[in-house]
Amino acid sequence: MAEILVAGAGPAGCAAAAILARQGFRVTLADPCPPVPPRIESLPAAGQRLAAELGLAPALSDAILGTAERIELAWRPDSEIRSFGHAGPLLLSRPRLHAALRRAAFAAGAELAAERIDRLEPGRAACRSGAVLVAAVILDARGRAAGGLAPLGPPRAALPFRGNARREQPSMGLAALADGWLWWAAAAGELQGLRVAAPGTLAGMDAAGRQGWLRASGHPITETCETGTPVPAGLAAADPLAVPGIIRIGDAALARDPVGAHGLVHALRSAAQGAAAAATWLRHPAERGAAEQFLRLRHRTDCTAARAATAASHAEQGRHRTAFWQEMPATPALPSSPPPGRLRLAAVAAQVPLMAGGHIQWARGMELRTDGTQLARLGPYPAAALLAALAQPGTADEFAARLARLGPSQAAAPAVAELARLGALVPA
Ligand SMILES: Cc1cc2nc3c(=O)[nH]c(=O)nc-3n(C[C@H](O)[C@H](O)[C@H](O)COP(=O)(O)OP(=O)(O)OC[C@H]3O[C@@H](n4cnc5c(N)ncnc54)[C@H](O)[C@@H]3O)c2cc1C
């Protein structure tokens, strides 16, 4: 019997399986391994750092088609071309990424079960073949196929397309249309992208209809492209701990609207968090409550951030005022800088969950009075030190000066700005 069953060998499942197998757990990775359709996906610098932290940089490098040098934007009223300099996102081949991450999981010791799982229950998975896989802990990483996701934004469908890139430099493009938007990436002679719309727009279209609809976007990039099969793409989420003993990770917990992007970053980050929770359940059962609270808090933060990212992209779009663009409600703007005048920190000392050393434990921390956010530390500052340093009211500059005496001075102003962004600095 495996200690841990990971259902789904996409980016989230493979990352979690590799992390846990490296820690010595007996891990089974179950996936029917259907062919992965060609697709280019972008990974920003934050995702590259995260992959390196998780020991997955070599797997990533096997999938790199190029580093995007620029993005052509037809989003705001004026078209623009932005150069990324040296910090461009990686453009990854999705089939190569799958293959490389699976190799990393198997090299770490995870075993493959080439099974399609029809039903997950605490401790067991019923497979289409009739087999039953049994494990102490299950990570559900089946992506949107896990089902049970509730919409957090308007429904969206993405029509993938591909063609030959006529450009030499790896690049990307983003264009707002009246009934949706278009994203494409070109690298290593390939051009791939998606046209996103409300699902009703695509309903009832056959392959020829979809091909015609893509061309009708009017964007020159689509002129010689072939379309694929539409896939759901709206922002949606599910409780990561709805079923006892099962932890949802990746798209199975939070599937992002591609306009907010960063699906891969979330897949890797939630894999690390889900793996740490599974390790805690098995090796530190007394801390099970800390693991569960940690996952719930992170999930809430991630959902809020994903909604804000989607809403911000809609708000920035200044070319069309159509129903598609008005469907996503704006989220309240977060303060971008600390408020003026004398402030106080609206937070109290609390026991909070902390992820460290591959598992989760209770630690001394603080809880923000505004929305219950719990922090063990902020940047280099432990929460207890922050609470002590900011116990007396002061201006934002005075707070930064006090923090600068505690640790690296360059981290002080960003920490104060982050507290303001979290709404934790209120008039004294
Ligand atoms: C068209 C499109 C373009 C995108 N572009 C980008 C991009 O440029 N950048 C970015 O960061 N993100 C992008 N994303 C999002 C990104 O692909 C996902 O967020 C990411 O792949 C999620 O990883 P995952 O492992 O959670 O799920 P998935 O990648 O969906 O993997 C799920 C795995 O589970 C397996 N599975 C499914 N059902 C079962 C079952 N019943 N039993 C066993 N196994 C099963 C599947 O075979 C698959 O291997 C895009 C998404 C789409 C749809």
Side-chain angles (χ1 to χ4, degrees):
M1 175 179 125
E3 287 172 289
I4 297 167
L5 170 67
V6 181
C14 289
I19 294 166
L20 288 161
R22 265 190 244 127
Q23 291 175 23
F25 289 104
R26 289 191 312 281
V27 180
T28 298
L29 188 53
D31 197 305
C33 301
V36 181
R39 188 154 101 201
I40 298 180
E41 292 194 4
S42 68
L43 186 74
Q48 298 163 38
R49 282 194 298 275
L50 181 58
E53 278 166 29
L54 301 180
L56 296 171
L60 214 58
S61 64
D62 285 351
I64 297 174
L65 296 170
T67 302
E69 293 181 13
R70 59 188 215 157
I71 183 163
E72 297 173 17
L73 285 164
W75 201 258
R76 300 189 179 85
D78 293 326
S79 297
E80 47 181 320
I81 294 182
R82 274 192 216 158
S83 291
F84 290 116
H86 294 297
L90 291 181
L91 298 179
L92 303 172
S93 152
R94 178 73 186 200
R96 275 161 53 182
L97 181 67
H98 263 240
L101 287 173
R102 285 176 189 174
R103 279 198 301 276
F106 301 141
E111 289 191 359
L112 174 69
E115 298 280 1
R116 176 173 298 282
I117 293 169
D118 278 340
R119 209 173 53 256
L120 286 179
E121 292 166 8
R124 67 196 294 279
C127 305
R128 180 81 42 101
S129 66
V132 174
L133 301 172
V134 181
V137 175
I138 296 176
L139 295 182
D140 187 356
R142 289 175 294 165
R144 288 180 190 261
L149 294 152
L152 290 183
R156 296 288 180 244
L159 178 67
F161 60 85
R162 60 186 306 221
N164 294 324
R166 274 172 262 151
R167 300 150 193 266
E168 305 218 325
Q169 295 113 342
S171 54
M172 304 197 300
L174 184 64
L177 307 171
D179 65 350
W181 54 275
L182 197 74
W183 178 83
W184 54 262
E190 289 188 46
L191 182 143
Q192 288 172 32
L194 31 133
R195 182 172 176 185
V196 175
T201 311
L202 281 156
M205 274 187 203
D206 59 9
R210 293 197 289 264
Q211 191 71 44
W213 179 70
L214 178 67
R215 300 266 157 82
S217 73
H219 196 288
I221 205 87
T222 62
E223 270 164 20
T224 56
C225 288
E226 303 283 319
T227 52
T229 308
V231 290
L235 175 60
D239 178 352
L241 292 166
V243 182
I246 301 180
I247 300 169
R248 281 180 177 243
I249 57 173
D251 275 13
L254 170 61
R256 298 182 62 127
D257 182 324
V259 79
H262 293 198
L264 283 174
V265 180
H266 175 259
L268 294 177
R269 192 180 297 122
S270 75
Q273 293 164 357
T280 307
W281 286 6
L282 291 170
R283 293 210 175 134
H284 309 273
E287 305 279 9
R288 187 178 180 111
E292 295 185 358
Q293 175 136 332
F294 178 82
L295 288 183
R296 286 195 197 288
L297 287 169
R298 293 310 308 230
H299 185 64
R300 191 183 69 176
T301 308
D302 290 345
C303 288
T304 305
R307 278 197 97 242
T310 299
S313 301
H314 279 237
E316 277 176 17
Q317 189 284 124
R319 299 194 154 217
H320 302 280
R321 297 210 146 271
T322 50
F324 177 92
W325 293 104
Q326 280 156 1
E327 251 184 312
M328 181 74 199
T331 53
L334 295 165
S336 54
S337 54
R342 285 177 69 71
L343 304 167
R344 68 181 175 80
L345 178 62
V348 289
Q351 207 186 36
V352 302
L354 172 71
M355 181 173 142
H359 68 278
I360 299 162
Q361 62 204 333
W362 290 115
R364 286 173 68 202
M366 66 183 187
E367 181 171 311
L368 307 188
R369 283 190 189 276
T370 39
D371 65 352
T373 294
Q374 295 189 330
L375 301 170
R377 54 189 312 122
L378 188 67
Y381 309 110
L386 259 174
L387 280 170
L390 307 187
Q392 299 304 318
T395 64
D397 286 345
E398 286 164 0
F399 281 175
R402 288 184 219 163
L403 292 186
R405 288 196 285 274
L406 289 182
S409 56
Q410 70 277 17
V416 173
E418 179 62 5
L419 287 171
R421 197 190 64 76
L422 291 166
L425 298 183
V426 297

